[in-house]
Amino acid sequence: MTRLPQPGRTLVMGILNVTPDSFSDGGEFLAVDAAVRHGLALHAEGADLVDVGGESTRPGAVRADAQTERARVVPVIEGLTRAGVPTSIDTMRAEVAVAAVAAGAVLVNDVSGGLADPDMLAAVADLDASYVAMHWRGHSDRMADLASYADVVAEVCAELSDRLDAALAAGVDRERIILDPGLGFAKTAAHNWALLHRLDALASLGRPLLIGASRKRFFGELLADADAPRPVREREDAGVALTALLAAAGVWGVRTHTARPHRDAIAVASRWGTPPPARPQDRVGEEEVADGAG
C-alpha cells in the first residue's frame, strides 16, 4: 500500500482548490500551472499532504460534472507527484477517485463518506490509498436545511459510525480509514463548537480524526465586528489558534489553507506537551556553600 506521510505529530493537509467558486480562493488556481505552483509552495511551507479538489463544496455551490472535475484535478496531481509532493484527492465521485489515485494520490478525501456515490466505497476498497470519511447529510445546495439535531455530538458520532461500518462492509481496510466530523457541513456555528468540545466522543469511534476548520464561517461569526462577519482572509489567526488546541488534543490531521503558521502552532503544542528535561537536584552541601561564598 502507498503510505501516507508519518510525521509523528499532527499532520497538515494543505488545501488546493482547482475550482472557480470555492469560498476562500475560487479561481486563483484554476490553471494547471498556477495550481502546481501553489501546491509546491504549500509543500515547501510545511504541508505534509496537498489536498487537490476540483468541485466546490461551499454552501449553495452547484456541482461540477464528473468530466470537468477529473480534467481539473488529474493534471495537477500528476505534476505534484512528479515533483515528489504527496497528494490527496478531495472528491465525492468514485471515477474521479480512481483517476486521481492512478495519477499519484495517496488518499481519497470524500466529504460525503460514501453517500454521494454508491460506487465510492467499493472503488476505495480496490485502491492503493487511504480514505477519509466525513460526516455529511446532503449536497451544498441543501445542507443548511439539514442542520437539525437533538444532540449533535451523539448524532454525528452515530452517523460517522454508520459510515465506518459501511466502508468496512465494502472491504476497505480499517487501518486505512480516517474520520472527519464535517465542520460547517449541515452544521451551525454552535454545532461546530459542540463537536470541537467533544473530540473525545469522536475519538471513541477508534479511528484517527481529520479536522477541517480553516477560514470557515463559524470563525467569521465568532470574530464579527458589529453585524459584519470577519472577512474570509482575516480568519487565519483564529484557525492557527484552533490548530494548536487540536494538536495538543492529539488529532491526526488538520486541513488548512496555509501551512507554515499551522506547522508552527503544532510545534508549540508538541513542545507544550513534552515534559521539561530532568535537571540535577540543587545541592546545598557545605562545599557548594563555601564555593559560592568565595
Side-chain angles (χ1 to χ4, degrees), residues 102-279:
V106 299
L107 179 146
V108 176
N109 181 17
D110 176 8
V111 301
S112 80
L115 289 170
D117 185 341
D119 296 327
M120 177 63 91
L121 296 179
V124 170
D126 291 335
L127 292 175
D128 184 21
S130 295
Y131 180 64
V132 173
M134 196 191 82
H135 177 265
W136 184 85
R137 284 186 163 184
H139 288 290
S140 298
D141 59 353
R142 58 188 297 262
M143 70 167 69
D145 298 331
L146 302 171
S148 177
Y149 304 85
D151 182 333
V152 66
V153 174
E155 290 173 55
V156 168
C157 285
E159 290 168 33
L160 271 179
S161 181
D162 287 345
R163 301 324 303 153
L164 176 59
D165 289 345
L168 295 173
V172 182
D173 186 338
R174 183 180 182 87
E175 296 306 308
R176 293 163 53 193
I177 302 172
I178 298 146
L179 299 178
D180 180 342
L183 301 183
F185 286 78
K187 296 173 189 74
T188 65
H191 295 146
N192 294 337
W193 289 116
L195 289 163
L196 288 169
H197 290 156
R198 290 300 314 277
L199 291 173
D200 59 325
L202 294 163
S204 72
L205 297 174
R207 299 308 307 141
L209 297 176
L210 174 68
I211 304 295
S214 186
R215 300 180 180 175
K216 287 193 173 179
R217 182 180 298 174
F218 74 111
F219 284 137
E221 294 178 9
L222 175 69
L223 305 172
D225 297 318
D227 295 326
R230 181 72 60 85
V232 170
R233 293 299 184 93
E234 296 177 22
R235 302 171 188 173
E236 189 68 27
D237 291 346
V240 172
L242 181 59
T243 286
L245 296 171
L246 293 170
V251 302
W252 173 84
V254 290
R255 187 173 181 272
T256 66
H257 287 87
T258 61
R260 180 166 292 147
H262 294 273
R263 281 289 302 269
D264 290 350
I266 290 164
V268 170
S270 298
R271 184 62 185 85
W272 181 268
T274 303
R279 64 184 181 86

